Amino acid sequence: MHKLRVADINLLIDYKYDTMIKQAAFYKADFDKPDVTIDIPSENYDLWSKESPHLSMNDIEYIYTGAAFYEALLHFNGFMLHSSGVVKDGYAYLFSADPGTGKSTHTELWQKHFGKDKAVIINDDKPAIRLTDNRLWVYGTPWSGKTDKNVNIKVPLGAIVFLERSENNWIREIKPAEAIPLVMQQTIRPVEKDVMIMLLDMLDRVLSSTKLYKLGCNISEEAVEVSYNGIKVEE
Amino acid sequence: MKIKDGYLLREVAGSNIVVPIGEGAIDFSGVITLNEVGAFIWKSLEEDITEAELVDRILAEYDIDKETAQNDVKEYISSLRGAGLIAD
């Protein structure tokens, strides 16, 4: 078993394949008592492997340890938003969309435009968001989808942006009511009632107190200017 | 009649939303948004109730005439029924 600290949660977790070993390296920690233990029985792995024969055991371990972590996160005033998160000027901006839409491409353009030291990808696919000390924080985690872009830091949440492809670049602020179904599509939906209540109460807080936008964008530096100027937090 | 089991109504950032829980959550990944009266009717239907009782509750809660309440309830229930959300 390995000891990790992810999103300020002490994790006792079992893994043995390359991707997890590599991704978890920056999250090693020491503690006496874990907050969460993730120890998935090998029978479960065998079953998932039969269900998805195209996936290697390495991939299956990466996917299902992540799923277990994000489910546990709901018990700690937190949730996962399927998004690429970029940190600029001390705030994390989350670009959320279905796979293949271009959220990673968009945050990559931020890095190209501002430089990799000024625009840091905190998590390219599944950042964790938590409410602690009465504030919303975005955390990097070892589970960052197809890329290894994640950083073990916590940063205040700046804005949530729902991204779609468009010929022209445009941005508009949206109300929480418009964002609710979009967020529900891009997170893990718990099956148990009490956990669903935790998720909805968390979303109540997040959507009432966070700037929310829809962005239509193409692949250009102009797309970065339109999105950055539209969403940046003014101090 | 009553609402089928397996749904949760909750207020999220000023909207009344309904999401499936339990086994229904696996087949249906959408969200239903209800207006204020819709949420009131939904809550009333969480226990077994007749259409007439529902109309009475609405008349006690909102300042509308009986005919309007009856029509609203009929329409609302028929749309819930159409969506397969009512158990008789």
Side-chain angles (χ1 to χ4, degrees):
Chain A
M1 295 289 263
H2 304 268
K3 286 180 177 179
L4 306 180
R5 190 165 173 79
V6 182
D8 284 335
I9 298 167
N10 290 333
L11 281 187
L12 191 62
I13 177 171
D14 187 37
Y15 55 81
K16 59 183 177 190
Y17 292 102
D18 288 352
T19 300
M20 271 312 290
I21 290 170
K22 194 161 77 55
Q23 299 274 98
F26 292 102
Y27 297 82
K28 294 261 181 192
D30 201 24
F31 49 80
D32 295 328
K33 213 174 147 279
D35 299 312
V36 175
T37 301
I38 298 176
D39 185 11
I40 299 171
S42 61
E43 302 93 85
N44 293 30
Y45 280 122
D46 293 341
L47 184 70
W48 294 323
S49 175
K50 265 186 209 139
E51 282 171 2
S52 309
H54 58 289
L55 294 176
S56 66
M57 284 312 279
N58 176 65
D59 292 344
I60 287 177
E61 178 182 84
Y62 180 51
I63 292 166
Y64 285 96
T65 51
F69 170 74
Y70 292 116
E71 243 177 270
L73 178 64
L74 291 163
H75 296 259
F76 294 85
N77 289 321
F79 79 110
M80 176 275 282
L81 184 68
H82 189 212
S83 57
S84 179
V86 60
V87 178
K88 174 90 177 69
D89 307 325
Y91 287 93
Y93 301 97
L94 305 182
F95 292 90
S96 183
D98 286 334
T101 309
K103 50 189 184 293
S104 297
T105 305
H106 185 70
T107 52
E108 229 173 82
L109 286 168
W110 275 54
Q111 291 195 303
K112 193 177 157 201
H113 186 78
F114 296 112
K116 284 191 178 172
D117 54 330
K118 301 250 167 43
V120 174
I121 308 295
I122 187 165
N123 185 306
D124 202 22
D125 197 57
K126 295 182 185 72
I129 298 151
R130 278 190 77 195
L131 177 68
T132 52
D133 306 324
N134 213 24
R135 194 162 187 191
L136 291 164
W137 299 91
V138 178
Y139 290 84
T141 74
W143 298 278
S144 51
K146 286 177 192 145
T147 76
D148 59 3
K149 288 183 180 175
N150 65 79
V151 189
N152 186 7
I153 51 173
K154 71 187 257 198
V155 179
L157 174 60
I160 297 176
V161 185
F162 297 95
L163 179 150
E164 57 187 73
R165 288 187 197 182
S166 164
E167 270 183 43
N168 305 316
N169 297 304
W170 52 265
I171 186 134
R172 69 176 171 89
E173 195 170 345
I174 59 171
K175 295 214 161 73
E178 194 176 344
I180 290 167
L182 301 171
V183 172
M184 290 298 284
Q185 268 168 39
Q186 302 298 348
T187 191
I188 294 180
R189 292 174 70 139
V191 169
E192 303 84 24
K193 183 179 178 181
D194 52 337
V195 190
M196 180 61 97
I197 289 173
M198 291 175 196
L199 171 64
L200 295 181
D201 288 353
M202 180 72 196
L203 293 184
D204 180 55
R205 176 62 196 256
V206 171
L207 298 177
S208 324
S209 61
T210 305
K211 289 276 194 182
L212 308 162
Y213 301 92
K214 260 197 175 178
L215 168 72
C217 62
N218 57 31
I219 302 173
S220 68
E221 294 213 23
E222 192 214 47
V224 179
E225 282 161 23
V226 167
S227 100
Y228 176 65
N229 290 324
I231 68 178
K232 68 181 170 197
V233 175
E234 308 282 357
E235 289 291 340
Chain B
M1 66 191 161
K2 69 192 281 283
I3 288 287
K4 279 187 186 167
D5 290 338
Y7 294 91
L8 174 69
L9 167 65
R10 197 96 179 155
E11 193 182 323
V12 176
S15 296
N16 294 295
I17 69 153
V18 172
V19 290
I21 46 174
E23 283 179 20
I26 296 156
D27 308 322
F28 175 70
S29 65
V31 176
I32 303 164
T33 306
L34 302 174
N35 62 18
E36 192 196 332
V37 179
F40 181 82
I41 293 176
W42 185 285
K43 274 181 211 152
S44 305
L45 284 168
E46 283 176 345
E47 54 191 279
D48 206 1
I49 187 175
T50 67
E51 199 169 314
E53 284 168 336
L54 186 50
V55 171
D56 287 344
R57 280 203 197 179
I58 288 174
L59 289 173
E61 184 76 16
Y62 297 99
D63 188 20
I64 53 169
D65 62 81
K66 191 162 184 178
E67 204 189 329
T68 310
Q70 280 171 332
N71 288 337
D72 284 358
V73 163
K74 230 181 233 354
E75 199 178 309
Y76 206 83
I77 287 177
S78 114
S79 71
L80 289 176
R81 225 181 263 287
L85 296 170
I86 299 264
D88 286 282

